Amino acid sequence: RSLLAEGSLATAIFHSEWQTSLFGAIENDHTMPLRFEDGLWRINWEPTLVFPQLGYGLTLALLDESVARGDIVDAAGQKLATNEQRITIGVVSGQIEDRPAVVNRLAAITGLPAPALEEKILAARPDWFVPLAEVDFDTSAQYYETLSALAGVETRAHPSRLYPAGETAAHIIGVLGGIRAGELDSFKRQGYRGDELVGQTGIEGWGEPFLAGKRGGRLVTLSPTGKELAEIASVISRPGGNVYLSLDADLQQRAETILGAQRGAMVVMEPTGFIRAMASFPRFNPQDFATGIDAQTWAALLNDDRRPLVNRAAQGTYPPASTFKIVALSAAMENLGYTADTPFFCSGIWYGLGDDQPKKCWLETGHGNINLQDGLTQSCDVVFYEVAKALYEADPAFLPDMARAFGLGRATGLLGLDEAAGLVPDDAWKQAALGEPFYVGDAVNMGIGQGYMLATPLQIAHMLAAVAADGRLYRPQLVRRISSRDTGDQFFAPEAGPPLPLSAQTLAVLQTALWGVAQGRRGTARQAFKGAAFSVAGKTGTAETVTDAPHAWFAGYAPADDPAVVIAVIVENAGEGSQKAAPLFRLMAEAYFNWADTAPPAEAS
């Protein structure tokens, strides 16, 4: 800014500005002493030229202020993710007076090998705090006097993530993990140090900006003995906000118990989109990730061929099987003018693709004379072979377009969880993926939810919810409220999407046919719901696989005349949907209505 010279001496006044991710800009005015020597102006270096508070023999230290991560809370107020106090034991190596004694005592307290501790201490900068181990609060209290008496040893309290319900809702809550190398710069620009554990999946990952809060701290100078002398900059920490879910932990535990140790998934949601439970098996324990997962546990999860890290409810893709007949019936009524009474004949075998390509109905003896509505109720394959063939011949886009209108082939938009899009095949897809046209045989397979068609349990629940909600697709939701000290509360209300492209007549036929599945004399799930205290409308499905037993589906809503809950169940390689999935639906519905009678009212939104 200015220069004052007198003989061989001069002073320069300048302004410095340090840009930091934690403190923002740190600005100071300085006076720089100069000396003319050997034909050049040279700087008389002083540490104050960096910061005015610095001097010879002093060091800079960043004193972190721990920030509590926000809680993840269920609809009844139970904490699914919260914090407990942990204690970090570490050293400032330059202040250690008796290294062997420190190493031996810390090895005894922490259980870590003495050579490993000594290696870390010897590698550390003498003026930096180096964390060595974490212990719980009780252990720290037990050894408080011993730790306090060891010169160079420090203990620092900080919050650590705790998952009180263990594996319950693990895929929904998600996990913490170290910052990935490719994301490090981005996180540092937001004020992270870079060594934190951050949300990676589930609500922990989606909610990182709300849950993490803002780290605080002070930049100070220290004397050679570690005494704090001056503060250069400071910022107050901001605790993380809380995320409140529509999920109910008790109902979630019940869903997981009902699903049991069977590979599969279950989605329990309101017709207007709020999810009450979402079970997937196998699961994992998010607590294993809370302080950094060890290599052995991580390897076991990755090498488990059951894929426990995959949330089958939202990421598992399966042929929707006969649940897709809802779409096929809708497309036929809306595009071909079919009615509930449009007649068909089922002998048990269909030759619509030629004598050399017979296709069977699941009922070997056939359904005989049957109409379109009863074809859905009784899940007659022959009816839907005919329907799919007729749709293809009229316009190959009719069936795929109706599938997309029901929300298939794309993510539902559920905030907080990663979703698979599934697959609605058509000519453009098949040409791009396989280099050949979408044939009539492909359409026929699609008509019964087989072939290339894929959907997630969440998408099937979403589809049934639209039927339950009189033809309106509501966005599935898990988050009911975000609570922040800075911005206040943000509430999430039901979000209605576009209506299904269905007439009132088509919707009425669907609802009547689905009621017949569970309640009708010839419904495919009538045995599963015999004697139930509530009425059910739904659809069975048995998804054929290439090498193993079929997947069992049941999806529907209850009560049928005034829907309160929508449930989709899939059990992998379990057999018939009517025998394996429908009974689980009934158990879940019974649990839901018992829960609804005793649960506190949902939060206002």
Side-chain angles (χ1 to χ4, degrees):
R1 288 185 173 182
S2 64
L3 179 67
L4 299 174
E6 185 174 340
S8 62
L9 299 179
T11 56
I13 299 174
F14 71 94
H15 182 80
S16 70
E17 180 176 316
W18 296 85
Q19 290 293 335
T20 71
S21 57
L22 181 58
F23 302 108
I26 302 175
E27 299 184 55
N28 288 288
D29 290 318
H30 306 261
T31 299
M32 179 191 300
L34 300 169
R35 183 178 71 256
F36 192 77
E37 188 176 279
D38 299 329
L40 295 172
W41 284 102
R42 302 181 186 276
I43 298 171
N44 286 333
W45 172 254
E46 294 283 348
T48 54
L49 297 179
V50 179
F51 290 114
Q53 299 90 339
L54 268 178
Y56 285 111
L58 305 187
T59 56
L60 282 176
L62 174 61
L63 304 181
D64 268 340
E65 213 175 281
S66 295
V67 55
R69 191 173 180 85
D71 294 335
I72 300 173
V73 186
D74 85 337
Q78 292 190 58
K79 293 180 179 180
L80 300 174
T82 187
N83 304 294
E84 63 176 348
Q85 192 177 56
R86 300 280 293 179
I87 308 297
T88 296
I89 300 175
V91 298
V92 179
S93 63
Q95 298 174 16
I96 294 175
E97 297 174 355
D98 187 346
R99 191 175 70 246
V102 166
V103 169
N104 290 333
R105 291 302 296 152
L106 292 184
I109 292 170
T110 65
L112 295 172
L117 290 172
E118 185 157 29
E119 183 179 351
K120 283 188 176 182
I121 292 171
L122 290 172
R125 283 183 50 168
D127 53 344
W128 282 24
F129 173 81
V130 177
L132 297 176
E134 275 200 357
V135 296
D136 58 31
F137 181 80
D138 290 342
T139 301
S140 173
Q142 179 183 352
Y143 293 103
Y144 174 77
E145 291 185 2
T146 300
L147 293 169
S148 299
L150 292 170
V153 174
E154 293 184 14
T155 58
R156 297 184 179 181
H158 65 92
S160 180
R161 208 58 165 159
L162 177 67
Y163 301 95
E167 290 189 356
T168 300
H171 294 99
I172 295 168
I173 296 168
V175 301
L176 302 180
I179 297 173
R180 300 180 181 97
E183 300 174 338
L184 186 58
D185 288 344
S186 174
F187 274 98
K188 284 189 172 182
R189 285 194 296 271
Q190 299 172 54
Y192 289 74
R193 291 187 310 269
D195 59 352
E196 296 93 340
L197 294 176
V198 299
Q200 299 285 355
T201 63
I203 299 299
E204 290 279 33
W206 171 82
E208 178 68 22
F210 316 107
L211 293 165
K214 182 173 176 58
R215 181 169 62 102
R218 297 186 302 130
L219 185 64
V220 302
T221 57
L222 301 178
S223 72
T225 61
K227 181 181 179 181
E228 184 180 325
L229 298 177
E231 180 180 280
I232 295 172
S234 66
V235 63
I236 298 173
S237 62
R238 185 183 73 237
N242 297 333
V243 176
Y244 296 83
L245 305 182
S246 59
L247 202 75
D248 184 276
D250 293 338
L251 197 67
Q252 177 73 22
Q253 288 177 336
R254 185 64 180 144
E256 292 178 2
T257 299
I258 290 169
L259 184 61
Q262 304 176 91
R263 284 179 299 137
M266 184 182 296
V267 178
V268 182
M269 64 188 291
E270 297 172 353
T272 52
F274 282 112
I275 293 172
R276 293 304 192 185
M278 180 184 280
S280 177
F281 185 85
R283 290 177 292 280
F284 58 90
N285 193 335
Q287 198 65 54
D288 291 337
F289 296 79
T291 56
I293 191 167
D294 64 82
Q296 184 176 359
T297 304
W298 179 240
L301 287 170
L302 287 182
N303 295 328
D304 190 333
D305 58 10
R306 302 176 307 159
R307 301 184 302 157
L309 294 173
V310 173
N311 178 7
R312 283 166 161 77
Q315 296 173 298
T317 56
Y318 308 89
S322 292
T323 65
F324 187 78
K325 292 172 182 175
I326 293 170
V327 175
L329 180 148
S330 300
M333 292 189 67
E334 294 301 323
N335 294 299
L336 303 179
Y338 285 21
T339 69
D341 296 324
T342 297
F344 299 87
F345 179 78
C346 171
S347 67
I349 300 180
W350 182 71
Y351 294 97
L353 297 178
D355 291 346
D356 59 337
Q357 298 183 64
K359 296 185 73 66
K360 295 182 179 180
C361 183
W362 70 266
L363 185 62
E364 293 182 5
T365 58
H367 291 89
N369 292 309
I370 189 170
N371 64 29
L372 180 64
Q373 179 175 295
D374 290 343
L376 183 59
T377 295
Q378 298 175 41
S379 203
C380 175
D381 291 326
V382 167
V383 167
F384 290 94
Y385 294 147
E386 286 281 3
V387 163
K389 181 172 181 283
L391 285 166
Y392 179 88
E393 290 172 343
D395 187 332
F398 280 158
L399 190 54
D401 285 352
M402 184 60 74
R404 295 186 187 99
F406 270 91
L408 302 177
R410 66 176 186 271
T412 67
L414 174 64
L415 293 179
L417 299 184
D418 291 333
E419 291 185 74
L423 175 62
V424 173
D426 59 13
D427 189 69
W429 169 82
K430 196 178 179 194
Q431 290 281 12
L434 302 176
E436 61 183 41
F438 193 73
Y439 298 112
V440 62
D442 297 322
V444 167
N445 285 333
M446 184 177 175
I448 62 165
Q450 294 286 164
Y452 303 110
M453 187 72 207
L454 293 172
T456 68
L458 177 61
Q459 288 173 324
I460 298 301
H462 190 212
M463 179 175 75
L464 268 296
V467 178
D470 290 329
R472 177 72 69 171
L473 277 169
Y474 283 86
R475 178 182 182 174
Q477 295 188 83
L478 270 169
V479 179
R480 289 295 301 262
R481 175 164 63 99
I482 297 171
S483 179
S484 167
R485 295 192 181 187
D486 286 344
T487 59
D489 287 355
Q490 178 184 354
F491 291 92
F492 293 81
E495 293 185 23
L500 297 176
L502 307 181
S503 67
Q505 179 186 12
T506 299
L507 191 59
V509 170
L510 280 179
Q511 292 170 340
T512 301
L514 296 177
W515 175 89
V517 170
Q519 317 297 148
R521 184 172 57 87
R522 299 190 67 183
T524 54
R526 64 191 182 279
Q527 289 300 321
F529 295 100
K530 188 175 182 180
F534 47 85
S535 60
V536 172
K539 186 69 193 76
T540 53
T542 303
E544 297 298 328
T545 63
V546 176
T547 59
D548 211 334
H551 304 317
W553 280 104
F554 191 87
Y557 52 89
D561 57 348
D562 186 18
V565 65
V566 178
I567 302 171
V569 180
I570 188 167
V571 187
E572 293 181 12
N573 308 121
E576 299 289 332
S578 59
Q579 298 174 19
K580 299 298 182 179
L584 301 187
F585 178 105
R586 176 172 177 170
L587 290 173
M588 191 66 245
E590 289 171 344
Y592 178 86
F593 290 123
N594 179 62
W595 167 86
D597 289 340
T598 59
E603 294 184 66
S605 59

